[in-house]
């Protein structure tokens, strides 16, 4: 790959011939050879782009639509850690995301992404007529990213950074008896930095199939509001309300297979794992059944359509 560049006249030897450097300049020629060797490493790294797949348009819009299923066990881990209300089953839900961005010159780009995910209510009880519970969780995020993409011999690599704003909510309802119930609910509003890396490795020369993946992390700082309501014979009243400052962290990793379905569009079948720290309120997880985990682990098989124009 680098020899073709040397044959075109960029080698140290040809430079020395053209300049007719005398034999007495040995030390200078040695330094020149050393610099050329270092330059060859840069040529190998940058030359891979020239010999790789065709570069996408230097400028253009990017539109993406994503949907997926969510699976977790937060009811067992967070709201009923001692399984007093039975196994509770797997928490199941769905998510959707819409993104728009623009690729600019020199590999720079920006992207705006809105996403929403919600778990369905999980109903559980011990025996008919005994204690029962209902729980659910939901979250919405808005991400703004600025990134830079490098094109490699068989794919590309993108680094990005930006800001994430998020809102989440959870609810845990516990029915001690048919006449007495407790609602433990919480919401969080916050924003903070977001960083990540993503890339693709083409499986064929045409670039029809590619293995894609990525990793990202964020920290959101904001306010959490918690409320405990008690209902007696259907009459609700607020027993306790609290507002505190909190930090929610999220790390996510994904892998998938991207298929080019047209010259400007691709379809990705992927799988993502998200781990959210302090996802739930401390008050919400301190239930009559014991203190549960505040963290949330979610598995998400997803399908994403992306088009360039």
């Amino acid at each position: 790959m680098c020899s073709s560049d040397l044959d075109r006249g960029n080698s140290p030897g040809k430079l020395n011939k053209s300049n007719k450097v005398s034999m007495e300049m040995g030390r200078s020629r040695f330094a020149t050879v050393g610099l050329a060797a270092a330059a060859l490493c840069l040529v190998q790294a940058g030359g891979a782009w020239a010999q790789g797949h065709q570069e996408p348009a230097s400028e253009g819009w990017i539109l993406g639509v994503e949907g997926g299923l969510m699976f977790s066990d937060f009811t067992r881990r967070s709201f009923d850690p001692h399984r007093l209300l039975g196994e509770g089953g797997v928490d199941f839900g769905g998510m959707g995301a819409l993104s728009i961005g623009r690729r600019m010159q020199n590999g720079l780009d920006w992207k705006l992404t809105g996403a929403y995910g919600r778990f369905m209510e999980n109903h559980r009880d011990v025996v008919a007529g005994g204690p029962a519970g209902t729980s659910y969780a939901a979250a919405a995020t808005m991400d703004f990213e600025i990134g830079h993409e490098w094109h490699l011999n068989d794919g590309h690599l993108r680094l990005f950074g930006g800001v994430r704003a998020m809102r989440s909510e959870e609810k845990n309802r516990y029915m001690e008896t048919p006449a007495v119930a407790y609602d433990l609910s919480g919401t969080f509003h916050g924003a903070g930095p977001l960083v990540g890396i993503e890339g693709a490795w083409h499986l064929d020369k045409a670039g029809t199939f590619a293995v894609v993946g990525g990793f990202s992390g964020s920290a959101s700082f904001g306010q959490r509001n918690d409320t405990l309501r008690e209902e007696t014979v259907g009459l609700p009243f607020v027993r306790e309300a609290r507002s505190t400052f909190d930090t929610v962290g999220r790390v996510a990793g994904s892998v998938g297979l991207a298929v080019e379905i047209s010259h400007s569009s691709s379809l990705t079948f992927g799988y993502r794992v998200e781990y959210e720290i302090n996802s739930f309120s401390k008050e919400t997880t301190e239930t009559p059944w014991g203190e549960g985990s505040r963290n949330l682990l979610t598995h998400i098989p997803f399908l994403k359509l992306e088009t360039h124009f």
Side-chain angles (χ1 to χ4, degrees), residues 149-229:
E149 188 175 69
W150 290 269
H151 295 275
L152 308 176
N153 186 37
D154 290 309
H156 67 266
L157 185 69
R158 177 178 180 261
L159 298 177
F160 62 89
V163 178
R164 165 170 289 168
M166 70 173 298
R167 180 189 186 279
S168 64
E169 62 176 328
E170 73 269 8
K171 185 175 182 179
N172 187 16
R173 180 178 175 87
Y174 167 64
M175 297 185 65
E176 188 174 24
T177 67
V180 180
Y182 299 93
D183 277 338
L184 305 164
S185 61
T187 61
F188 173 81
H189 301 79
L194 166 71
V195 295
I197 181 173
E198 57 188 20
W201 183 266
H202 296 284
L203 300 178
D204 59 333
K205 293 183 179 180
T208 304
F209 300 95
V211 176
V212 297
F215 181 84
S216 66
S218 66
S220 300
F221 310 95
Q223 179 174 299
R224 188 180 292 279
N225 300 313
D226 305 310
T227 304
L228 170 60
R229 292 184 176 90

Side-chain angles (χ1 to χ4, degrees), residues 107-176:
L108 295 174
D109 62 67
W110 64 264
K111 183 165 65 172
L112 182 66
T113 303
Y116 178 77
R118 188 184 191 280
F119 287 96
M120 299 177 62
E121 291 188 350
N122 190 334
H123 303 276
R124 60 213 188 275
D125 60 354
V126 178
V127 294
T134 302
S135 58
Y136 80 89
T141 59
M142 181 68 72
D143 299 342
F144 177 73
E145 307 169 6
I146 295 179
H148 190 285
E149 188 175 69
W150 290 269
H151 295 275
L152 308 176
N153 186 37
D154 290 309
H156 67 266
L157 185 69
R158 177 178 180 261
L159 298 177
F160 62 89
V163 178
R164 165 170 289 168
M166 70 173 298
R167 180 189 186 279
S168 64
E169 62 176 328
E170 73 269 8
K171 185 175 182 179
N172 187 16
R173 180 178 175 87
Y174 167 64
M175 297 185 65
E176 188 174 24

Side-chain angles (χ1 to χ4, degrees), residues 166 188 218-221 224 246-250 276-279:
M166 70 173 298
F188 173 81
S218 66
S220 300
F221 310 95
R224 188 180 292 279
D246 204 355
T247 302
V248 176
R250 180 188 292 184
E276 198 165 83
I277 303 170
N278 295 340
S279 177

Side-chain angles (χ1 to χ4, degrees), residues 223-243:
Q223 179 174 299
R224 188 180 292 279
N225 300 313
D226 305 310
T227 304
L228 170 60
R229 292 184 176 90
E230 181 179 347
E231 295 183 11
T232 303
V233 195
L235 300 176
F237 66 94
V238 176
R239 186 173 182 178
E240 183 179 359
R242 182 180 303 180
S243 294

Side-chain angles (χ1 to χ4, degrees), residues 51-110:
Q51 296 185 7
H53 295 277
Q54 184 178 2
E55 180 190 6
S58 59
E59 293 185 1
W61 291 94
I62 306 173
L63 181 65
V65 180
E66 178 182 328
L69 302 177
M70 304 192 305
F71 301 91
S72 183
D73 63 346
F74 69 86
T75 293
R76 303 175 183 177
R77 293 168 51 86
S78 302
F79 296 155
D80 188 9
H82 299 294
R83 316 282 175 87
L84 297 183
L85 298 184
E87 291 298 323
V90 176
D91 297 288
F92 171 79
M95 60 80 59
L98 178 64
S99 64
I100 186 170
R102 184 168 178 82
R103 183 187 293 111
M104 300 176 287
Q105 293 182 349
N106 302 323
L108 295 174
D109 62 67
W110 64 264

